[in-house]
Amino acid sequence: MNQQASDGIRRQAAEGYVTAMVGDQLFGLALTQVRDVFIPKGICRVPLAPPSVAGLLSLRGRVVTAIDLRRRLGLPLRGEGEPSVALGIERGAEIYGLIADRIGNVLRPSAESFEPTPINLTSRWSEVCAGLYRLDQGVMAVLDVESLLDAEKLREAA
Amino acid sequence: MTTVAVLELGTRLFGLLVDDVLRTEEIVVKPKASVLRQLSVFSGNTILGDGSVIMIIDPPALAHLAGVDDIRRDSGAVLAETQTRPEEKETVPLLLFRAGSRSRKAVPLALVARLEEIPASEFEACEEGYVLRYRDSLMPVLFMDGVEKRPGDDLQPVLVFSEDGRSVGLAIDEIVDVVEEKFSMEIHSRTPGVLGACLVGGEVVEVVDISHYVGEGLGQRILMKESDVARAQKVLLVDDSQFFRNMLAPLLSANGYDVTLAGSGHEALELKEEGWRFDVIVSDLEMPELDGIGFAERIKSDPHWAEIPLVALSSHTSPRLIARTRAAGFTHYVGKFDRQKLMDALEACCSRWEAAA
């Protein structure tokens, strides 16, 4: 890891991560990236959109583009009535809602437990993973939002 | 029974089979999220009164899917292909709204950071006017002339403008629409806060000079004086900030200049290589990669552009910086919000240029 990246990780680790589960994987988003956490409701499907785009919904007067992380990661889809939660992130003037299964705690792991993305991760995960932390309760993947929302990769992730 | 929505596009009529017609709504089409930009069938989305989100179908794109391409598009229609290359885009999205009077007002949508509707009770009066707790900080809110603060908790539409992390809210009466329009100022105004008037879909709208309000809101009061410059002098404006390009371009064209925009020094140098000629170049000093001073040095080393007068735009003023810009070949140095000084500088440059020619 170069110095700049490790400073970034140190800062993120100190500020903390909002964690959530998707499938059986714990993942985290830098606390400062997350705008709100909400239950996705009233999603308007968008015909012809990339499959990972669950649709649009309104959150306090703003339009949120909802991304289904299960689809984005090629995991089995959520059944009818199974709970879901969305993490709202702001990107430029747009808000995206990343739909996961269950929200977790805010974690402040020690920067020393950070590791770059290992090569044995499935390709879908490695595409959207900026590295991971080895914690007592398992591994937490750090999501790389830019890569996750890359329009071209979204279209490919059918 | 079957219900058909009859669509009129240019001179042709189309029928769209639908299950049911619910109602008509006055809406603002919000732009598509970047991950959905490929979907030309939709021009955007909107939030309805009940809070639900719907996609807005773009009828010309539907007609295109149906293989009908000879439609003379209405000026209000979104031209999907003009969106692909921004530098060739001729139309600009304009936000139409009402404030104070029945006549419609317009502002380039790109200047607006956010459209909000805020309960009027949240505006707090202070010595300078109104402020609003907005995203963990205080934002000044200015009421456009004639706009009344709504009573109680009634929602007041507010246009939010942001630059360098600072925001200013402009309270208005009603958001009307967003349209794609060729931006050509028909009449230039002498009223402070108004750039002029242009035609949108055959109706006259007043183009608001946001710099008048934003500059004021940011504590940099702008001296407005009408300018009588009215020659089609060619100005190249180089600025990496979309905000300033959007703010200055209408101002310059309102004052009779023929404006070309470049988002960086390199982009401007490409124009040089392509053989473009300008009467005057206005360049921002603080730009990534190639800054204004480096850009000026490159220009001065090429005989084709070496003689073009250069005006520096900067948000900083230090005697040392001014001396450096002079040494690099800039003839004038103007603060970014000082529109009168910019107009004076341009006029001085252009008349000098004419005298020399």
Side-chain angles (χ1 to χ4, degrees), chain B residues 210-256:
Chain B
I210 288 308
S211 66
H212 173 72
Y213 294 97
V214 174
E216 189 170 306
L218 296 176
Q220 289 161 305
R221 192 170 285 275
I222 290 154
L223 290 172
M224 271 255 326
K225 223 175 82 183
E226 115 281 343
S227 168
D228 47 10
V229 187
R231 296 175 302 257
Q233 298 280 6
K234 291 171 81 72
V235 177
L236 172 63
L237 174 64
V238 190
D239 198 314
D240 60 309
S241 153
Q242 176 97 40
F243 179 87
F244 277 104
R245 290 201 304 274
N246 281 327
M247 184 178 90
L248 291 174
L251 173 67
L252 293 174
S253 55
N255 281 284

Short mmCIF file of all heavy atoms in Angstrom, two decimals, chain B residues 210-256:
data_model
loop_
_atom_site.label_atom_id
_atom_site.label_comp_id
_atom_site.label_asym_id
_atom_site.label_seq_id
_atom_site.Cartn_x
_atom_site.Cartn_y
_atom_site.Cartn_z
N ILE B 210 -28.27 35.48 -12.07
CA ILE B 210 -28.06 34.85 -10.78
C ILE B 210 -26.86 35.47 -10.06
O ILE B 210 -26.84 35.59 -8.85
CB ILE B 210 -27.89 33.33 -10.97
CG1 ILE B 210 -29.25 32.74 -11.32
CG2 ILE B 210 -27.33 32.68 -9.74
CD1 ILE B 210 -30.37 33.09 -10.38
N SER B 211 -25.87 35.93 -10.82
CA SER B 211 -24.69 36.49 -10.17
C SER B 211 -25.07 37.69 -9.31
O SER B 211 -24.46 37.97 -8.29
CB SER B 211 -23.63 36.88 -11.20
OG SER B 211 -24.11 37.94 -11.99
N HIS B 212 -26.13 38.38 -9.73
CA HIS B 212 -26.61 39.53 -8.96
C HIS B 212 -27.02 39.09 -7.56
O HIS B 212 -26.71 39.73 -6.57
CB HIS B 212 -27.78 40.16 -9.69
CG HIS B 212 -28.47 41.24 -8.92
ND1 HIS B 212 -27.90 42.46 -8.71
CD2 HIS B 212 -29.66 41.27 -8.29
CE1 HIS B 212 -28.74 43.21 -7.99
NE2 HIS B 212 -29.81 42.50 -7.72
N TYR B 213 -27.74 37.95 -7.50
CA TYR B 213 -28.25 37.48 -6.22
C TYR B 213 -27.19 36.69 -5.46
O TYR B 213 -27.00 36.85 -4.27
CB TYR B 213 -29.48 36.60 -6.42
CG TYR B 213 -30.65 37.37 -6.97
CD1 TYR B 213 -30.92 37.37 -8.34
CD2 TYR B 213 -31.46 38.11 -6.13
CE1 TYR B 213 -31.98 38.09 -8.84
CE2 TYR B 213 -32.52 38.82 -6.63
CZ TYR B 213 -32.79 38.82 -7.99
OH TYR B 213 -33.83 39.53 -8.48
N VAL B 214 -26.53 35.80 -6.20
CA VAL B 214 -25.57 34.92 -5.54
C VAL B 214 -24.41 35.73 -4.99
O VAL B 214 -23.98 35.56 -3.86
CB VAL B 214 -25.08 33.83 -6.50
CG1 VAL B 214 -23.99 33.01 -5.83
CG2 VAL B 214 -26.25 32.93 -6.88
N GLY B 215 -23.91 36.65 -5.78
CA GLY B 215 -22.80 37.50 -5.33
C GLY B 215 -23.19 38.23 -4.07
O GLY B 215 -22.45 38.27 -3.09
N GLU B 216 -24.42 38.74 -4.05
CA GLU B 216 -24.92 39.47 -2.89
C GLU B 216 -25.02 38.54 -1.69
O GLU B 216 -24.59 38.86 -0.60
CB GLU B 216 -26.30 40.02 -3.25
CG GLU B 216 -26.86 40.98 -2.25
CD GLU B 216 -28.10 41.63 -2.83
OE1 GLU B 216 -28.02 42.20 -3.94
OE2 GLU B 216 -29.14 41.55 -2.19
N GLY B 217 -25.56 37.35 -1.96
CA GLY B 217 -25.76 36.40 -0.88
C GLY B 217 -24.44 35.93 -0.31
O GLY B 217 -24.34 35.58 0.85
N LEU B 218 -23.42 35.91 -1.12
CA LEU B 218 -22.13 35.45 -0.65
C LEU B 218 -21.31 36.62 -0.09
O LEU B 218 -20.13 36.48 0.15
CB LEU B 218 -21.36 34.77 -1.78
CG LEU B 218 -21.99 33.49 -2.32
CD1 LEU B 218 -21.19 32.96 -3.49
CD2 LEU B 218 -22.10 32.43 -1.25
N GLY B 219 -21.95 37.72 0.09
CA GLY B 219 -21.28 38.84 0.72
C GLY B 219 -20.40 39.64 -0.22
O GLY B 219 -19.58 40.42 0.20
N GLN B 220 -20.57 39.40 -1.50
CA GLN B 220 -19.79 40.18 -2.47
C GLN B 220 -20.78 40.92 -3.36
O GLN B 220 -21.18 40.45 -4.39
CB GLN B 220 -18.89 39.27 -3.29
CG GLN B 220 -17.76 38.73 -2.48
CD GLN B 220 -17.17 37.52 -3.13
OE1 GLN B 220 -17.84 36.55 -3.42
NE2 GLN B 220 -15.89 37.56 -3.37
N ARG B 221 -21.18 42.04 -2.91
CA ARG B 221 -22.19 42.81 -3.63
C ARG B 221 -21.65 43.22 -5.01
O ARG B 221 -20.52 43.63 -5.16
CB ARG B 221 -22.55 44.05 -2.82
CG ARG B 221 -23.76 44.77 -3.31
CD ARG B 221 -24.13 45.82 -2.30
NE ARG B 221 -24.75 45.24 -1.12
CZ ARG B 221 -26.04 44.97 -1.03
NH1 ARG B 221 -26.83 45.20 -2.06
NH2 ARG B 221 -26.53 44.46 0.06
N ILE B 222 -22.48 43.00 -5.97
CA ILE B 222 -22.03 43.28 -7.33
C ILE B 222 -22.58 44.62 -7.79
O ILE B 222 -23.76 44.90 -7.65
CB ILE B 222 -22.52 42.17 -8.26
CG1 ILE B 222 -21.77 40.89 -7.95
CG2 ILE B 222 -22.30 42.53 -9.71
CD1 ILE B 222 -22.52 39.67 -8.30
N LEU B 223 -21.70 45.43 -8.30
CA LEU B 223 -22.15 46.70 -8.83
C LEU B 223 -22.69 46.46 -10.22
O LEU B 223 -21.99 45.97 -11.11
CB LEU B 223 -20.98 47.69 -8.89
CG LEU B 223 -20.52 48.17 -7.52
CD1 LEU B 223 -19.24 48.96 -7.65
CD2 LEU B 223 -21.61 49.02 -6.87
N MET B 224 -23.93 46.79 -10.41
CA MET B 224 -24.54 46.55 -11.72
C MET B 224 -24.71 47.86 -12.44
O MET B 224 -25.25 48.79 -11.90
CB MET B 224 -25.92 45.90 -11.54
CG MET B 224 -25.89 44.42 -11.50
SD MET B 224 -26.45 43.61 -12.98
CE MET B 224 -27.71 44.66 -13.60
N LYS B 225 -24.24 47.92 -13.60
CA LYS B 225 -24.47 49.09 -14.41
C LYS B 225 -24.66 48.58 -15.82
O LYS B 225 -23.98 47.65 -16.24
CB LYS B 225 -23.27 50.04 -14.35
CG LYS B 225 -23.66 51.49 -14.19
CD LYS B 225 -22.43 52.35 -14.01
CE LYS B 225 -21.77 52.68 -15.33
NZ LYS B 225 -20.55 53.45 -15.17
N GLU B 226 -25.59 49.15 -16.53
CA GLU B 226 -25.81 48.60 -17.87
C GLU B 226 -24.61 48.93 -18.75
O GLU B 226 -23.93 49.92 -18.56
CB GLU B 226 -27.14 49.13 -18.44
CG GLU B 226 -27.07 50.01 -19.65
CD GLU B 226 -26.68 51.44 -19.27
OE1 GLU B 226 -26.79 51.81 -18.09
OE2 GLU B 226 -26.26 52.16 -20.18
N SER B 227 -24.34 48.06 -19.63
CA SER B 227 -23.21 48.30 -20.51
C SER B 227 -23.75 48.51 -21.91
O SER B 227 -24.72 47.90 -22.31
CB SER B 227 -22.29 47.07 -20.48
OG SER B 227 -21.36 47.21 -21.53
N ASP B 228 -23.12 49.40 -22.62
CA ASP B 228 -23.66 49.66 -23.96
C ASP B 228 -22.78 49.04 -25.04
O ASP B 228 -22.85 49.40 -26.20
CB ASP B 228 -23.85 51.16 -24.19
CG ASP B 228 -22.64 51.94 -23.75
OD1 ASP B 228 -21.60 51.31 -23.47
OD2 ASP B 228 -22.71 53.17 -23.71
N VAL B 229 -21.96 48.09 -24.61
CA VAL B 229 -21.15 47.40 -25.61
C VAL B 229 -22.08 46.54 -26.46
O VAL B 229 -22.86 45.78 -25.92
CB VAL B 229 -20.13 46.46 -24.94
CG1 VAL B 229 -19.18 45.88 -25.98
CG2 VAL B 229 -19.38 47.21 -23.88
N ALA B 230 -22.06 46.67 -27.71
CA ALA B 230 -22.95 45.86 -28.53
C ALA B 230 -22.30 45.52 -29.86
O ALA B 230 -22.83 45.77 -30.92
CB ALA B 230 -24.29 46.57 -28.74
N ARG B 231 -21.11 44.99 -29.78
CA ARG B 231 -20.46 44.52 -31.00
C ARG B 231 -20.25 43.03 -30.85
O ARG B 231 -20.01 42.54 -29.76
CB ARG B 231 -19.11 45.19 -31.19
CG ARG B 231 -19.17 46.66 -31.39
CD ARG B 231 -17.76 47.19 -31.43
NE ARG B 231 -17.03 46.86 -30.20
CZ ARG B 231 -16.81 47.75 -29.25
NH1 ARG B 231 -17.24 48.98 -29.37
NH2 ARG B 231 -16.15 47.42 -28.17
N ALA B 232 -20.34 42.33 -31.94
CA ALA B 232 -20.15 40.89 -31.84
C ALA B 232 -18.65 40.56 -31.82
O ALA B 232 -18.12 39.95 -32.74
CB ALA B 232 -20.85 40.18 -32.98
N GLN B 233 -17.98 41.02 -30.78
CA GLN B 233 -16.57 40.69 -30.61
C GLN B 233 -16.49 39.25 -30.12
O GLN B 233 -17.31 38.82 -29.31
CB GLN B 233 -15.93 41.62 -29.59
CG GLN B 233 -15.95 43.08 -29.98
CD GLN B 233 -14.86 43.45 -30.97
OE1 GLN B 233 -14.14 42.58 -31.45
NE2 GLN B 233 -14.76 44.72 -31.27
N LYS B 234 -15.51 38.53 -30.59
CA LYS B 234 -15.40 37.12 -30.21
C LYS B 234 -14.57 36.97 -28.95
O LYS B 234 -13.41 37.37 -28.91
CB LYS B 234 -14.77 36.31 -31.37
CG LYS B 234 -15.70 36.20 -32.56
CD LYS B 234 -14.99 35.60 -33.74
CE LYS B 234 -14.92 34.10 -33.66
NZ LYS B 234 -16.25 33.50 -33.91
N VAL B 235 -15.21 36.42 -27.94
CA VAL B 235 -14.54 36.24 -26.65
C VAL B 235 -14.36 34.75 -26.38
O VAL B 235 -15.29 33.97 -26.55
CB VAL B 235 -15.40 36.85 -25.51
CG1 VAL B 235 -14.73 36.59 -24.16
CG2 VAL B 235 -15.60 38.33 -25.72
N LEU B 236 -13.17 34.38 -25.98
CA LEU B 236 -12.94 33.00 -25.53
C LEU B 236 -12.87 33.04 -24.00
O LEU B 236 -12.07 33.77 -23.44
CB LEU B 236 -11.64 32.44 -26.11
CG LEU B 236 -11.21 31.07 -25.55
CD1 LEU B 236 -12.23 30.00 -25.88
CD2 LEU B 236 -9.84 30.68 -26.09
N LEU B 237 -13.75 32.27 -23.36
CA LEU B 237 -13.78 32.23 -21.90
C LEU B 237 -13.23 30.89 -21.44
O LEU B 237 -13.76 29.84 -21.78
CB LEU B 237 -15.22 32.43 -21.41
CG LEU B 237 -15.45 32.29 -19.91
CD1 LEU B 237 -14.72 33.37 -19.14
CD2 LEU B 237 -16.94 32.34 -19.60
N VAL B 238 -12.13 30.93 -20.70
CA VAL B 238 -11.50 29.70 -20.22
C VAL B 238 -11.67 29.63 -18.71
O VAL B 238 -11.17 30.49 -17.98
CB VAL B 238 -9.99 29.67 -20.56
CG1 VAL B 238 -9.40 28.30 -20.27
CG2 VAL B 238 -9.77 30.06 -22.02
N ASP B 239 -12.42 28.65 -18.25
CA ASP B 239 -12.62 28.49 -16.81
C ASP B 239 -12.95 27.04 -16.53
O ASP B 239 -13.77 26.45 -17.22
CB ASP B 239 -13.76 29.41 -16.33
CG ASP B 239 -13.71 29.63 -14.82
OD1 ASP B 239 -13.54 28.63 -14.09
OD2 ASP B 239 -13.83 30.79 -14.39
N ASP B 240 -12.30 26.45 -15.53
CA ASP B 240 -12.57 25.04 -15.25
C ASP B 240 -13.87 24.87 -14.46
O ASP B 240 -14.38 23.77 -14.37
CB ASP B 240 -11.41 24.42 -14.46
CG ASP B 240 -11.20 25.12 -13.13
OD1 ASP B 240 -11.10 26.36 -13.14
OD2 ASP B 240 -11.14 24.44 -12.10
N SER B 241 -14.41 25.96 -13.93
CA SER B 241 -15.63 25.83 -13.14
C SER B 241 -16.85 26.02 -14.02
O SER B 241 -17.05 27.07 -14.63
CB SER B 241 -15.63 26.87 -12.02
OG SER B 241 -16.95 27.20 -11.67
N GLN B 242 -17.66 24.94 -14.07
CA GLN B 242 -18.90 24.99 -14.84
C GLN B 242 -19.77 26.14 -14.35
O GLN B 242 -20.42 26.83 -15.13
CB GLN B 242 -19.64 23.66 -14.63
CG GLN B 242 -20.99 23.57 -15.27
CD GLN B 242 -20.92 22.87 -16.59
OE1 GLN B 242 -20.21 21.90 -16.75
NE2 GLN B 242 -21.64 23.37 -17.57
N PHE B 243 -19.73 26.34 -13.03
CA PHE B 243 -20.56 27.40 -12.44
C PHE B 243 -20.22 28.75 -13.06
O PHE B 243 -21.09 29.49 -13.49
CB PHE B 243 -20.32 27.42 -10.93
CG PHE B 243 -21.11 28.49 -10.22
CD1 PHE B 243 -22.40 28.23 -9.80
CD2 PHE B 243 -20.56 29.73 -9.98
CE1 PHE B 243 -23.13 29.20 -9.13
CE2 PHE B 243 -21.29 30.70 -9.32
CZ PHE B 243 -22.57 30.44 -8.89
N PHE B 244 -18.92 29.07 -13.11
CA PHE B 244 -18.56 30.38 -13.65
C PHE B 244 -18.79 30.46 -15.15
O PHE B 244 -19.17 31.51 -15.66
CB PHE B 244 -17.12 30.71 -13.27
CG PHE B 244 -17.04 31.29 -11.89
CD1 PHE B 244 -16.59 30.54 -10.83
CD2 PHE B 244 -17.47 32.59 -11.66
CE1 PHE B 244 -16.56 31.07 -9.56
CE2 PHE B 244 -17.44 33.12 -10.37
CZ PHE B 244 -16.97 32.36 -9.32
N ARG B 245 -18.54 29.33 -15.86
CA ARG B 245 -18.82 29.37 -17.30
C ARG B 245 -20.29 29.66 -17.53
O ARG B 245 -20.66 30.50 -18.34
CB ARG B 245 -18.42 28.05 -17.96
CG ARG B 245 -16.93 27.82 -18.02
CD ARG B 245 -16.57 26.80 -19.10
NE ARG B 245 -17.25 25.53 -18.93
CZ ARG B 245 -16.82 24.53 -18.16
NH1 ARG B 245 -15.69 24.66 -17.50
NH2 ARG B 245 -17.49 23.41 -18.08
N ASN B 246 -21.14 28.98 -16.74
CA ASN B 246 -22.58 29.17 -16.89
C ASN B 246 -23.01 30.57 -16.46
O ASN B 246 -23.98 31.10 -16.95
CB ASN B 246 -23.34 28.14 -16.07
CG ASN B 246 -23.38 26.81 -16.76
OD1 ASN B 246 -23.42 26.75 -17.98
ND2 ASN B 246 -23.33 25.76 -16.00
N MET B 247 -22.30 31.11 -15.51
CA MET B 247 -22.69 32.42 -15.01
C MET B 247 -22.22 33.51 -15.97
O MET B 247 -22.95 34.46 -16.25
CB MET B 247 -22.08 32.65 -13.63
CG MET B 247 -22.50 33.95 -13.00
SD MET B 247 -21.79 34.14 -11.36
CE MET B 247 -20.27 34.95 -11.73
N LEU B 248 -21.01 33.37 -16.47
CA LEU B 248 -20.44 34.46 -17.28
C LEU B 248 -20.89 34.41 -18.74
O LEU B 248 -21.02 35.45 -19.37
CB LEU B 248 -18.91 34.42 -17.20
CG LEU B 248 -18.35 34.80 -15.83
CD1 LEU B 248 -16.85 34.61 -15.79
CD2 LEU B 248 -18.72 36.23 -15.46
N ALA B 249 -21.15 33.19 -19.26
CA ALA B 249 -21.51 33.11 -20.68
C ALA B 249 -22.77 33.93 -21.00
O ALA B 249 -22.74 34.74 -21.93
CB ALA B 249 -21.65 31.66 -21.11
N PRO B 250 -23.87 33.76 -20.23
CA PRO B 250 -25.05 34.57 -20.55
C PRO B 250 -24.78 36.06 -20.36
O PRO B 250 -25.29 36.90 -21.11
CB PRO B 250 -26.11 34.10 -19.55
CG PRO B 250 -25.59 32.89 -18.91
CD PRO B 250 -24.12 32.85 -19.12
N LEU B 251 -23.96 36.38 -19.36
CA LEU B 251 -23.64 37.78 -19.09
C LEU B 251 -22.91 38.39 -20.28
O LEU B 251 -23.22 39.49 -20.74
CB LEU B 251 -22.77 37.84 -17.83
CG LEU B 251 -22.18 39.20 -17.48
CD1 LEU B 251 -23.29 40.15 -17.07
CD2 LEU B 251 -21.17 39.06 -16.36
N LEU B 252 -21.94 37.64 -20.81
CA LEU B 252 -21.17 38.16 -21.94
C LEU B 252 -22.04 38.26 -23.18
O LEU B 252 -22.01 39.26 -23.90
CB LEU B 252 -19.95 37.26 -22.21
CG LEU B 252 -18.88 37.27 -21.12
CD1 LEU B 252 -17.80 36.25 -21.41
CD2 LEU B 252 -18.28 38.65 -20.97
N SER B 253 -22.86 37.23 -23.44
CA SER B 253 -23.68 37.31 -24.65
C SER B 253 -24.74 38.38 -24.49
O SER B 253 -25.12 39.03 -25.45
CB SER B 253 -24.26 35.95 -25.04
OG SER B 253 -24.97 35.40 -23.99
N ALA B 254 -25.19 38.59 -23.25
CA ALA B 254 -26.17 39.66 -23.03
C ALA B 254 -25.56 41.02 -23.33
O ALA B 254 -26.26 41.97 -23.64
CB ALA B 254 -26.68 39.63 -21.60
N ASN B 255 -24.24 41.10 -23.22
CA ASN B 255 -23.57 42.37 -23.51
C ASN B 255 -23.03 42.42 -24.92
O ASN B 255 -22.18 43.24 -25.24
CB ASN B 255 -22.47 42.61 -22.48
CG ASN B 255 -23.03 43.12 -21.17
OD1 ASN B 255 -23.41 44.28 -21.05
ND2 ASN B 255 -23.17 42.23 -20.21
N GLY B 256 -23.52 41.54 -25.76
CA GLY B 256 -23.23 41.64 -27.18
C GLY B 256 -21.98 40.93 -27.64
O GLY B 256 -21.54 41.11 -28.77
#
